[in-house]
Amino acid sequence: FSEDPGQFASQILIENNYIYNVGQGFIGTDTTELKGGINAVHDITLRNNVIRKTSGVGLNIGVDYFTLVNNSIIDTTDYGIEFSSRIIDGRVDLVHHALISNNIVYGCNSNKIGWRGIYYPFSNQREGSQIDYNMYYPNFSPWPSQPPEFDLHSNFGSDPKFLNYNSGDFHLTSESTAAIDAGVDLSSTGYSADKDGVPRPQGSAWDIGAYEYVNGSAVNPPNSVCGNNIT
């Protein structure tokens, strides 16, 4: 999504996808406000997606009112989540009012020294944003330094214990104790099921990631995937 002349994007929902072997899972930019124009790109939601194996960042967020909830972001070459920092006439683009919660960010920034799951927004981009109740594995050195108001209830360094990481099955198991019942209730944002359509929550609270753990029941296999496609 971008702010090409005459192009607008808002109120867009992207959900329940298995995105595999792409350059970036999502990239969105909008500098129209800094140029004195209207807010052309805003209110984009990604939920219940698996984004796996990107050659760049998992998601590059450069739009305001962006919602990223209950996704599993796996094995990105660069940051799992990055807030863009375009500068026009000395002003940073307005990436404000973001909601980033209940996401698993796993094995990201593999081409750099040290693991970095998220590149936090700058101080003048944080207005109205909520970033919390996420999982980051392995533990990583936040860059820039973790803002004190973000990720206060997030988990840094616990393995989510996927059902079959090697085959790309990122359902949770009974051993996924760090992710099960560790999320925040997001039903107020308009959904209450996981990628398979399983109602949330199955336990005392929402699980983190694209899949809700179903105790004692068989889970559906992940969607079939082909390289460089979204299915």
mmCIF file with all atom_site columns, all heavy atoms in Angstrom, residues 182-198:
data_model
loop_
_atom_site.group_PDB
_atom_site.id
_atom_site.type_symbol
_atom_site.label_atom_id
_atom_site.label_alt_id
_atom_site.label_comp_id
_atom_site.label_asym_id
_atom_site.label_entity_id
_atom_site.label_seq_id
_atom_site.pdbx_PDB_ins_code
_atom_site.Cartn_x
_atom_site.Cartn_y
_atom_site.Cartn_z
_atom_site.occupancy
_atom_site.B_iso_or_equiv
_atom_site.pdbx_formal_charge
_atom_site.auth_seq_id
_atom_site.auth_comp_id
_atom_site.auth_asym_id
_atom_site.auth_atom_id
_atom_site.pdbx_PDB_model_num
ATOM 1   N N   . ALA A 1 182 ? -2.122  -16.398 27.373 1.00 0.00 ? 182 ALA A N   1
ATOM 2   C CA  . ALA A 1 182 ? -1.207  -15.298 27.698 1.00 0.00 ? 182 ALA A CA  1
ATOM 3   C C   . ALA A 1 182 ? -1.516  -14.020 26.935 1.00 0.00 ? 182 ALA A C   1
ATOM 4   O O   . ALA A 1 182 ? -0.818  -13.018 27.107 1.00 0.00 ? 182 ALA A O   1
ATOM 5   C CB  . ALA A 1 182 ? 0.239   -15.720 27.413 1.00 0.00 ? 182 ALA A CB  1
ATOM 6   N N   . GLY A 1 183 ? -2.554  -14.044 26.101 1.00 0.00 ? 183 GLY A N   1
ATOM 7   C CA  . GLY A 1 183 ? -2.885  -12.874 25.302 1.00 0.00 ? 183 GLY A CA  1
ATOM 8   C C   . GLY A 1 183 ? -3.923  -11.993 25.959 1.00 0.00 ? 183 GLY A C   1
ATOM 9   O O   . GLY A 1 183 ? -4.407  -12.264 27.064 1.00 0.00 ? 183 GLY A O   1
ATOM 10  N N   . VAL A 1 184 ? -4.265  -10.936 25.257 1.00 0.00 ? 184 VAL A N   1
ATOM 11  C CA  . VAL A 1 184 ? -5.274  -10.001 25.726 1.00 0.00 ? 184 VAL A CA  1
ATOM 12  C C   . VAL A 1 184 ? -6.542  -10.187 24.901 1.00 0.00 ? 184 VAL A C   1
ATOM 13  O O   . VAL A 1 184 ? -6.484  -10.534 23.713 1.00 0.00 ? 184 VAL A O   1
ATOM 14  C CB  . VAL A 1 184 ? -4.758  -8.542  25.628 1.00 0.00 ? 184 VAL A CB  1
ATOM 15  C CG1 . VAL A 1 184 ? -4.483  -8.147  24.192 1.00 0.00 ? 184 VAL A CG1 1
ATOM 16  C CG2 . VAL A 1 184 ? -5.725  -7.559  26.281 1.00 0.00 ? 184 VAL A CG2 1
ATOM 17  N N   . ASP A 1 185 ? -7.700  -10.005 25.509 1.00 0.00 ? 185 ASP A N   1
ATOM 18  C CA  . ASP A 1 185 ? -8.984  -10.128 24.819 1.00 0.00 ? 185 ASP A CA  1
ATOM 19  C C   . ASP A 1 185 ? -9.131  -9.002  23.798 1.00 0.00 ? 185 ASP A C   1
ATOM 20  O O   . ASP A 1 185 ? -9.133  -7.819  24.148 1.00 0.00 ? 185 ASP A O   1
ATOM 21  C CB  . ASP A 1 185 ? -10.117 -10.067 25.848 1.00 0.00 ? 185 ASP A CB  1
ATOM 22  C CG  . ASP A 1 185 ? -11.489 -10.338 25.240 1.00 0.00 ? 185 ASP A CG  1
ATOM 23  O OD1 . ASP A 1 185 ? -11.659 -10.192 24.021 1.00 0.00 ? 185 ASP A OD1 1
ATOM 24  O OD2 . ASP A 1 185 ? -12.408 -10.693 26.009 1.00 0.00 ? 185 ASP A OD2 1
ATOM 25  N N   . LEU A 1 186 ? -9.244  -9.379  22.523 1.00 0.00 ? 186 LEU A N   1
ATOM 26  C CA  . LEU A 1 186 ? -9.359  -8.391  21.444 1.00 0.00 ? 186 LEU A CA  1
ATOM 27  C C   . LEU A 1 186 ? -10.702 -8.473  20.737 1.00 0.00 ? 186 LEU A C   1
ATOM 28  O O   . LEU A 1 186 ? -10.847 -7.978  19.616 1.00 0.00 ? 186 LEU A O   1
ATOM 29  C CB  . LEU A 1 186 ? -8.228  -8.595  20.427 1.00 0.00 ? 186 LEU A CB  1
ATOM 30  C CG  . LEU A 1 186 ? -6.810  -8.353  20.963 1.00 0.00 ? 186 LEU A CG  1
ATOM 31  C CD1 . LEU A 1 186 ? -5.775  -8.758  19.917 1.00 0.00 ? 186 LEU A CD1 1
ATOM 32  C CD2 . LEU A 1 186 ? -6.618  -6.893  21.354 1.00 0.00 ? 186 LEU A CD2 1
ATOM 33  N N   . SER A 1 187 ? -11.692 -9.089  21.373 1.00 0.00 ? 187 SER A N   1
ATOM 34  C CA  . SER A 1 187 ? -13.000 -9.219  20.732 1.00 0.00 ? 187 SER A CA  1
ATOM 35  C C   . SER A 1 187 ? -13.619 -7.870  20.409 1.00 0.00 ? 187 SER A C   1
ATOM 36  O O   . SER A 1 187 ? -14.425 -7.753  19.481 1.00 0.00 ? 187 SER A O   1
ATOM 37  C CB  . SER A 1 187 ? -13.949 -10.031 21.616 1.00 0.00 ? 187 SER A CB  1
ATOM 38  O OG  . SER A 1 187 ? -14.056 -9.458  22.914 1.00 0.00 ? 187 SER A OG  1
ATOM 39  N N   . SER A 1 188 ? -13.224 -6.832  21.132 1.00 0.00 ? 188 SER A N   1
ATOM 40  C CA  . SER A 1 188 ? -13.760 -5.492  20.860 1.00 0.00 ? 188 SER A CA  1
ATOM 41  C C   . SER A 1 188 ? -13.314 -4.957  19.504 1.00 0.00 ? 188 SER A C   1
ATOM 42  O O   . SER A 1 188 ? -13.906 -4.012  18.982 1.00 0.00 ? 188 SER A O   1
ATOM 43  C CB  . SER A 1 188 ? -13.331 -4.514  21.956 1.00 0.00 ? 188 SER A CB  1
ATOM 44  O OG  . SER A 1 188 ? -11.918 -4.391  21.993 1.00 0.00 ? 188 SER A OG  1
ATOM 45  N N   . THR A 1 189 ? -12.270 -5.572  18.921 1.00 0.00 ? 189 THR A N   1
ATOM 46  C CA  . THR A 1 189 ? -11.810 -5.131  17.601 1.00 0.00 ? 189 THR A CA  1
ATOM 47  C C   . THR A 1 189 ? -12.554 -5.817  16.470 1.00 0.00 ? 189 THR A C   1
ATOM 48  O O   . THR A 1 189 ? -12.278 -5.555  15.302 1.00 0.00 ? 189 THR A O   1
ATOM 49  C CB  . THR A 1 189 ? -10.300 -5.369  17.434 1.00 0.00 ? 189 THR A CB  1
ATOM 50  O OG1 . THR A 1 189 ? -10.034 -6.789  17.448 1.00 0.00 ? 189 THR A OG1 1
ATOM 51  C CG2 . THR A 1 189 ? -9.522  -4.696  18.551 1.00 0.00 ? 189 THR A CG2 1
ATOM 52  N N   . GLY A 1 190 ? -13.484 -6.737  16.794 1.00 0.00 ? 190 GLY A N   1
ATOM 53  C CA  . GLY A 1 190 ? -14.363 -7.264  15.760 1.00 0.00 ? 190 GLY A CA  1
ATOM 54  C C   . GLY A 1 190 ? -14.157 -8.702  15.367 1.00 0.00 ? 190 GLY A C   1
ATOM 55  O O   . GLY A 1 190 ? -14.683 -9.134  14.340 1.00 0.00 ? 190 GLY A O   1
ATOM 56  N N   . TYR A 1 191 ? -13.432 -9.490  16.143 1.00 0.00 ? 191 TYR A N   1
ATOM 57  C CA  . TYR A 1 191 ? -13.282 -10.907 15.816 1.00 0.00 ? 191 TYR A CA  1
ATOM 58  C C   . TYR A 1 191 ? -13.112 -11.704 17.099 1.00 0.00 ? 191 TYR A C   1
ATOM 59  O O   . TYR A 1 191 ? -12.732 -11.175 18.137 1.00 0.00 ? 191 TYR A O   1
ATOM 60  C CB  . TYR A 1 191 ? -12.093 -11.138 14.883 1.00 0.00 ? 191 TYR A CB  1
ATOM 61  C CG  . TYR A 1 191 ? -10.730 -11.070 15.536 1.00 0.00 ? 191 TYR A CG  1
ATOM 62  C CD1 . TYR A 1 191 ? -9.943  -12.205 15.678 1.00 0.00 ? 191 TYR A CD1 1
ATOM 63  C CD2 . TYR A 1 191 ? -10.218 -9.866  16.022 1.00 0.00 ? 191 TYR A CD2 1
ATOM 64  C CE1 . TYR A 1 191 ? -8.692  -12.142 16.275 1.00 0.00 ? 191 TYR A CE1 1
ATOM 65  C CE2 . TYR A 1 191 ? -8.972  -9.801  16.613 1.00 0.00 ? 191 TYR A CE2 1
ATOM 66  C CZ  . TYR A 1 191 ? -8.215  -10.948 16.738 1.00 0.00 ? 191 TYR A CZ  1
ATOM 67  O OH  . TYR A 1 191 ? -6.977  -10.888 17.330 1.00 0.00 ? 191 TYR A OH  1
ATOM 68  N N   . SER A 1 192 ? -13.387 -13.017 17.020 1.00 0.00 ? 192 SER A N   1
ATOM 69  C CA  . SER A 1 192 ? -13.258 -13.860 18.205 1.00 0.00 ? 192 SER A CA  1
ATOM 70  C C   . SER A 1 192 ? -12.986 -15.307 17.806 1.00 0.00 ? 192 SER A C   1
ATOM 71  O O   . SER A 1 192 ? -13.468 -16.236 18.454 1.00 0.00 ? 192 SER A O   1
ATOM 72  C CB  . SER A 1 192 ? -14.532 -13.785 19.056 1.00 0.00 ? 192 SER A CB  1
ATOM 73  O OG  . SER A 1 192 ? -15.663 -14.161 18.290 1.00 0.00 ? 192 SER A OG  1
ATOM 74  N N   . ALA A 1 193 ? -12.211 -15.504 16.727 1.00 0.00 ? 193 ALA A N   1
ATOM 75  C CA  . ALA A 1 193 ? -11.834 -16.842 16.285 1.00 0.00 ? 193 ALA A CA  1
ATOM 76  C C   . ALA A 1 193 ? -10.403 -16.798 15.766 1.00 0.00 ? 193 ALA A C   1
ATOM 77  O O   . ALA A 1 193 ? -9.867  -15.735 15.445 1.00 0.00 ? 193 ALA A O   1
ATOM 78  C CB  . ALA A 1 193 ? -12.783 -17.339 15.202 1.00 0.00 ? 193 ALA A CB  1
ATOM 79  N N   . ASP A 1 194 ? -9.781  -17.992 15.669 1.00 0.00 ? 194 ASP A N   1
ATOM 80  C CA  . ASP A 1 194 ? -8.401  -18.047 15.190 1.00 0.00 ? 194 ASP A CA  1
ATOM 81  C C   . ASP A 1 194 ? -8.356  -18.323 13.692 1.00 0.00 ? 194 ASP A C   1
ATOM 82  O O   . ASP A 1 194 ? -9.391  -18.276 13.002 1.00 0.00 ? 194 ASP A O   1
ATOM 83  C CB  . ASP A 1 194 ? -7.599  -19.078 15.987 1.00 0.00 ? 194 ASP A CB  1
ATOM 84  C CG  . ASP A 1 194 ? -7.908  -20.530 15.601 1.00 0.00 ? 194 ASP A CG  1
ATOM 85  O OD1 . ASP A 1 194 ? -8.863  -20.780 14.817 1.00 0.00 ? 194 ASP A OD1 1
ATOM 86  O OD2 . ASP A 1 194 ? -7.196  -21.436 16.072 1.00 0.00 ? 194 ASP A OD2 1
ATOM 87  N N   . LYS A 1 195 ? -7.184  -18.613 13.160 1.00 0.00 ? 195 LYS A N   1
ATOM 88  C CA  . LYS A 1 195 ? -7.021  -18.828 11.722 1.00 0.00 ? 195 LYS A CA  1
ATOM 89  C C   . LYS A 1 195 ? -7.836  -20.008 11.213 1.00 0.00 ? 195 LYS A C   1
ATOM 90  O O   . LYS A 1 195 ? -8.276  -20.027 10.061 1.00 0.00 ? 195 LYS A O   1
ATOM 91  C CB  . LYS A 1 195 ? -5.541  -19.031 11.397 1.00 0.00 ? 195 LYS A CB  1
ATOM 92  C CG  . LYS A 1 195 ? -5.210  -19.125 9.912  1.00 0.00 ? 195 LYS A CG  1
ATOM 93  C CD  . LYS A 1 195 ? -3.711  -19.250 9.689  1.00 0.00 ? 195 LYS A CD  1
ATOM 94  C CE  . LYS A 1 195 ? -3.390  -19.328 8.206  1.00 0.00 ? 195 LYS A CE  1
ATOM 95  N NZ  . LYS A 1 195 ? -4.035  -20.498 7.565  1.00 0.00 ? 195 LYS A NZ  1
ATOM 96  N N   . ASP A 1 196 ? -8.053  -21.019 12.058 1.00 0.00 ? 196 ASP A N   1
ATOM 97  C CA  . ASP A 1 196 ? -8.850  -22.188 11.685 1.00 0.00 ? 196 ASP A CA  1
ATOM 98  C C   . ASP A 1 196 ? -10.337 -21.984 11.923 1.00 0.00 ? 196 ASP A C   1
ATOM 99  O O   . ASP A 1 196 ? -11.134 -22.884 11.653 1.00 0.00 ? 196 ASP A O   1
ATOM 100 C CB  . ASP A 1 196 ? -8.394  -23.410 12.490 1.00 0.00 ? 196 ASP A CB  1
ATOM 101 C CG  . ASP A 1 196 ? -7.021  -23.913 12.073 1.00 0.00 ? 196 ASP A CG  1
ATOM 102 O OD1 . ASP A 1 196 ? -6.623  -23.666 10.913 1.00 0.00 ? 196 ASP A OD1 1
ATOM 103 O OD2 . ASP A 1 196 ? -6.355  -24.555 12.903 1.00 0.00 ? 196 ASP A OD2 1
ATOM 104 N N   . GLY A 1 197 ? -10.726 -20.854 12.476 1.00 0.00 ? 197 GLY A N   1
ATOM 105 C CA  . GLY A 1 197 ? -12.114 -20.639 12.842 1.00 0.00 ? 197 GLY A CA  1
ATOM 106 C C   . GLY A 1 197 ? -12.467 -21.126 14.227 1.00 0.00 ? 197 GLY A C   1
ATOM 107 O O   . GLY A 1 197 ? -13.646 -21.132 14.612 1.00 0.00 ? 197 GLY A O   1
ATOM 108 N N   . VAL A 1 198 ? -11.464 -21.540 15.007 1.00 0.00 ? 198 VAL A N   1
ATOM 109 C CA  . VAL A 1 198 ? -11.697 -21.985 16.383 1.00 0.00 ? 198 VAL A CA  1
ATOM 110 C C   . VAL A 1 198 ? -12.032 -20.771 17.250 1.00 0.00 ? 198 VAL A C   1
ATOM 111 O O   . VAL A 1 198 ? -11.301 -19.772 17.231 1.00 0.00 ? 198 VAL A O   1
ATOM 112 C CB  . VAL A 1 198 ? -10.453 -22.705 16.933 1.00 0.00 ? 198 VAL A CB  1
ATOM 113 C CG1 . VAL A 1 198 ? -10.630 -23.040 18.414 1.00 0.00 ? 198 VAL A CG1 1
ATOM 114 C CG2 . VAL A 1 198 ? -10.162 -23.966 16.120 1.00 0.00 ? 198 VAL A CG2 1
#
